[in-house]
Amino acid sequence: MAKPKLTFICQACGAVYTRWQGKCDACGEWNTIVEENASGGIGGGPQRGARRKGRPSALLPLSGEIEEAPRVVTGIAEFDRATGGGIVRGSAILIGGDPGIGKSTLLMQAAAALSRRGHRVVYVSGEEAVAQVRLRAQRLAAADTAVELLAETNVEDILATLAEARRPDLVIVDSIQTLWSDAAEAAPGTVTQVRTAAQLMIRFAKASGAAVILVGHVTKDGQIAGPRVVEHMVDAVLYFEGEGGHHFRILRTVKNRFGPTDEIGVFEMGGEGLREVANPSELFLGERNAKAPGAAVFAGMEGTRPVLVEIQALVAPSALGTPRRAVVGWDQPRLAMVLAVLDAHCGVRLSQHDVYLNVAGGFRISEPAADLAVAAALVSSLSGAPLPPDCVYFGEISLSGAVRPVAHAAQRLKEAEKLGFSRSVLPAASADLPKSHAMRVGEVEALPDLVAQVAGGSIPRPEEGA
Ligand code: TYD
Ligand code: MG
């Protein structure tokens, strides 16, 4: 018999190496490369029986009937929004997230909601004992629903169980990292096992028409394979996120073959599980102190929905040779860029100052449209002049100091107006602005205009020197 071939696989990204090394060249993670016996698995190479001769398939034209993907809707609006309008039958969805963030809670609530609507849902728990799952179901008031529980980790046994009765509408596997298949020889939790198990579950989804949700823990230390190793195999990838110490959670779509990406669903974790947050802006603006300098409200967009958040800046003279730059909820390089533009084009010198930037409520912003709000907050903090409390900011700053228009200006303004804001500062030449607007719109063409507006005369113009 041939010696089993040993390979070294990165548990974070799945890159394969022939020998061990400390750092993965593919994803840059340390200590994630683990020796695995990668023989076997699906399509496990020539040793798996005699080669079969290929069979020709029909070639099809691009035009033809298109069927609208049939979906099952949970009725939990924030969940349905993130999945693109419901879970598509026969599709496989991966829900990733840090341990303890609330994945099992979310899925138990979704399972209960679907079950109440008459769908058959099977919850496969490989992680927790039956009693634990029941306890959670009780706490979530889901214990009286017809959700069926299966405490099993062997994929072949799970598939045999599912084949016994009527086809379920949804199968939830919590979590994919606990599954193991006879087809792979590696230990449970390794890349080979996780991939094989995921592949078998996805094949079951396609063949039976049942939707499958796979839960994947995000891992930092590489002891078990991360969800990234199955991202390419599934139809949709959602991440469940939250900031430590905050109660709200965001379900973010990063891939969806049947709907838009960049969508978010917002929830709040409470004593009886997750509660939907229909208006996230109210939550993120909840505890603002509008009179303090250094706080600017940013009118942002998350997918198709506007979200207002407060950006807080603190600028203070530094005692250190290299001043501190600390950012929570935004991009560090982006902050460096805004600081450089303020310095070069507006005479705002912050090279002797510590700069702290925080997005309130633990929210994360990835849009460049936040540049203008960040600049306003920084200048406000430096000059000690508070910004008008009823004003929102958005716009992208270019390296030349010009303020560039961003998409969805009308939607951002509408949301701000709805929440009682009456002024806005935005890029000149913004497209799609409504003609008549109750809001006072202040257009800025370049960053120095904003600085003059915020700080008045307290910061000298660049030509006067500083
Ligand atoms: P859980 O869904 O088990 O997280 P995951 O499956 O992502 O690991 O949720 C874990 C946390 O949520 C746990 O610390 C307790 C908390 N929680 C609540 O605050 N309220 C609730 O109603 C439930 C069920 C859990
Ligand atoms: Mg869990």
Side-chain angles (χ1 to χ4, degrees), residues 98-105 136 139-140 217 269-273:
D98 291 327
I101 203 76
K103 300 179 295 296
S104 305
T105 307
R136 180 183 297 110
R139 190 168 169 189
L140 300 172
H217 289 296
M269 181 67 95
E272 276 116 50

Side-chain angles (χ1 to χ4, degrees), residues 143-219:
D144 59 337
T145 58
V147 175
E148 287 155 86
L149 193 58
L150 177 59
E152 182 56 69
T153 53
N154 179 275
V155 187
E156 282 76 18
D157 291 346
I158 292 171
L159 293 178
T161 313
L162 293 175
E164 289 252 290
R166 179 169 69 90
R167 179 200 75 187
D169 296 289
L170 175 67
V171 178
I172 295 167
V173 178
D174 190 2
S175 67
I176 185 69
Q177 282 122 340
T178 56
L179 293 197
W180 60 281
S181 159
D182 302 331
E185 283 160 28
T190 54
V191 171
T192 310
Q193 274 294 1
V194 167
R195 277 199 182 142
T196 309
Q199 212 152 11
L200 286 167
M201 290 311 299
I202 293 165
R203 192 182 285 178
F204 163 77
K206 305 281 171 222
S208 69
V212 170
I213 293 184
L214 306 172
V215 174
H217 289 296
V218 171
T219 60

